[in-house]
């Protein structure tokens, strides 16, 4: 099987790689729509022939899985990495609605908590990009109405920091406070910091300070925005990476990131199965994470 389609990390069926979820039914949904499954435009683009109907794709997949027996599940997790991690947030409550009220249903966002942050030049680059995406796909009609009705610009609800306050289903955020994608594309989306972007260990003192400032904003945003009454959790590393929990070395290896003496896999399992658990741990700032695999 091609490696890109293999099941690893949280999707592995090997007890030594995935001790708590190895014997679950696992479904891998390939990402193909460009909007974290929120698009719903009837018209086909006359120039490109593209369809922007990710929300319909998500619903069709869920309906197919329910027909095949998912409706009987007593435990269920919706998880994803990067754009899939964002999708796990945006569709979390909708996913929960497919199951009985007695089922334990929770969501995991890995490397998907994208900040609405200005560039080092003070430009709203990522905000403008997300607005273009939401407009192109007609995404706002598929975002939580309680969020979109709260802002003059409803496309803001494409950002986790605005929408998580409106998510009721328990959510676990796995993210680096030095997320390499966000640093390279949101904070410094220019042909600058060439070497620093590739390896934080060669950044200049002023660049390190900028990254430390980013970390502070990131941590503060996650802590302040997640619903305090929800049994949600987080595991924030200091790795300069944009990792995935389908990566064995990130999920449950001897050298995997560890907080409170727990690997990510152990922290997630504790949070998922122990109802009173609110695993919420943050790694110390750089140079912690200096030797993380990139």
């Amino acid at each position: 099987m091609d490696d890109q389609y293999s099941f690893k990390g949280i999707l592995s069926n090997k007890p030594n790689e995935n001790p708590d979820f190895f014997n679950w039914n696992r479904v891998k949904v390939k990402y193909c729509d460009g909007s974290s499954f929120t698009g719903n435009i009837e018209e086909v683009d006359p120039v490109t022939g593209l369809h922007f109907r990710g929300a319909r794709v998500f619903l069709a997949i869920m309906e197919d899985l329910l027909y095949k027996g998912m409706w009987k599940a007593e435990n269920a997790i919706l998880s994803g990495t990067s754009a899939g991690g964002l999708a796990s947030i945006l569709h979390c409550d909708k996913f929960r609605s497919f199951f009985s009220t007695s089922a334990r249903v929770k969501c995991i966002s890995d490397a998907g908590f994208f900040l609405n942050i200005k560039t080092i030049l003070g430009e709203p680059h990522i905000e403008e990009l997300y607005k273009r995406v939401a407009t192109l796909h007609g995404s706002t009609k598929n975002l939580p109405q309680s969020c979109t009705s709260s802002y003059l610009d409803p496309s803001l609800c494409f950002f986790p920091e605005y929408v998580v306050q409106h998510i009721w289903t328990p959510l676990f955020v796995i993210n680096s406070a030095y997320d390499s994608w966000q640093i390279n594309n949101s904070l410094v989306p220019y042909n600058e910091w060439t070497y620093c972007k590739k390896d934080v260990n060669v950044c200049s003192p002023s660049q390190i300070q900028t990254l430390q400032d980013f970390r502070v904003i990131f941590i503060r945003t996650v802590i302040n925005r997640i619903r305090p009454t929800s049994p949600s959790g987080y595991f924030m590393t200091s790795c300069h990476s944009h990792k995935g929990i389908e990566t064995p070395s990130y999920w449950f290896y001897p050298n995997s990131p560890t907080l409170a003496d727990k690997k990510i896999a152990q922290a997630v399992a504790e949070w998922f199965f122990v109802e009173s658990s609110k695993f919420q741990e943050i790694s110390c700032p750089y140079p912690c994470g200096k030797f993380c695999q990139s």
Side-chain angles (χ1 to χ4, degrees):
M1 180 183 289
D2 191 309
D3 187 64
Q4 68 172 318
Y5 297 111
S6 60
F7 282 43
K8 297 181 178 181
I10 193 174
L11 296 180
S12 173
N13 63 354
K14 300 177 181 178
N16 62 317
E17 294 181 4
N18 188 26
D20 294 284
F21 306 107
F22 72 93
N23 60 350
W24 282 37
N25 293 306
R26 291 151 291 123
V27 178
K28 189 169 185 175
V29 180
K30 297 298 291 182
Y31 180 58
C32 60
D33 81 309
S35 72
S36 294
F37 299 104
T38 60
N40 193 7
I41 298 292
E42 185 65 37
E43 299 78 12
V44 178
D45 189 296
V47 177
T48 63
L50 293 175
H51 300 68
F52 302 104
R53 301 173 183 170
R56 302 186 193 185
V57 173
F58 179 83
L59 181 58
I61 291 170
M62 292 300 111
E63 289 178 343
D64 182 60
L65 293 174
L66 290 167
Y67 176 77
K68 291 177 178 177
M70 189 175 75
W71 65 273
K72 294 182 289 184
E74 297 177 358
N75 296 284
I77 293 175
L78 177 67
S79 69
T81 295
S82 193
L86 175 59
S88 296
I89 294 174
L90 300 179
H91 294 284
C92 188
D93 282 349
K94 185 180 299 181
F95 181 72
R96 206 292 162 236
S97 69
F98 296 131
F99 301 89
S100 70
T101 56
S102 62
R104 181 190 289 114
V105 182
K106 301 183 180 182
C107 305
I108 302 172
S109 172
D110 174 44
F113 205 101
F114 298 96
L115 291 189
N116 181 14
I117 192 167
K118 288 183 168 58
T119 68
I120 56 174
L121 299 181
E123 299 168 340
H125 171 76
I126 193 67
E127 181 177 326
E128 292 175 349
L129 173 62
Y130 271 34
K131 185 171 184 176
R132 291 196 299 272
V133 170
T135 300
L136 177 67
H137 290 261
S139 297
T140 55
K141 66 173 74 81
N142 293 300
L143 300 175
Q145 188 176 9
S146 57
C147 181
T148 56
S149 62
S150 301
Y151 298 98
L152 291 176
D153 181 2
S155 68
L156 288 175
C157 295
F158 207 74
F159 284 99
E161 63 194 85
Y162 302 102
V163 76
V164 288
Q165 297 176 322
H166 302 269
I167 302 298
W168 293 90
T169 305
L171 172 69
F172 197 94
V173 174
I174 302 167
N175 228 105
S176 169
Y178 302 97
D179 186 281
S180 58
W181 190 95
Q182 296 191 59
I183 289 170
N184 297 353
N185 295 277
S186 301
L187 188 65
V188 195
Y190 317 107
N191 190 25
E192 299 181 31
W193 290 30
T194 304
Y195 297 105
C196 178
K197 282 184 176 182
K198 295 179 181 179
D199 182 0
V200 69
N201 300 309
V202 301
C203 294
S204 69
S206 63
Q207 290 170 332
I208 288 292
Q209 185 57 55
T210 299
L211 298 184
Q212 302 292 30
D213 293 341
F214 174 86
R215 174 184 178 274
V216 170
I217 294 171
F218 184 88
I219 291 173
R220 183 188 303 138
T221 302
V222 173
I223 292 175
N224 292 340
R225 295 291 180 147
I226 288 181
R227 295 182 63 88
T229 57
S230 172
S232 295
Y234 47 77
F235 189 113
M236 286 188 261
T237 75
S238 289
C239 302
H240 182 233
S241 64
H242 192 62
K243 281 278 190 176
I245 53 177
E246 292 179 41
T247 306
S249 62
Y250 195 62
W251 178 244
F252 189 66
Y253 264 26
N255 62 339
S256 297
T258 301
L259 292 175
D261 296 323
K262 291 182 173 62
K263 310 294 185 187
I264 295 175
Q266 296 169 311
V268 168
E270 176 185 297
W271 165 80
F272 184 82
F273 291 109
V274 181
E275 293 300 330
S276 60
S277 173
K278 283 189 177 184
F279 189 95
Q280 299 177 340
E281 297 291 337
I282 303 169
S283 177
C284 54
Y286 180 86
C288 282
K290 181 176 182 179
F291 301 106
C292 288
Q293 296 179 359
S294 61

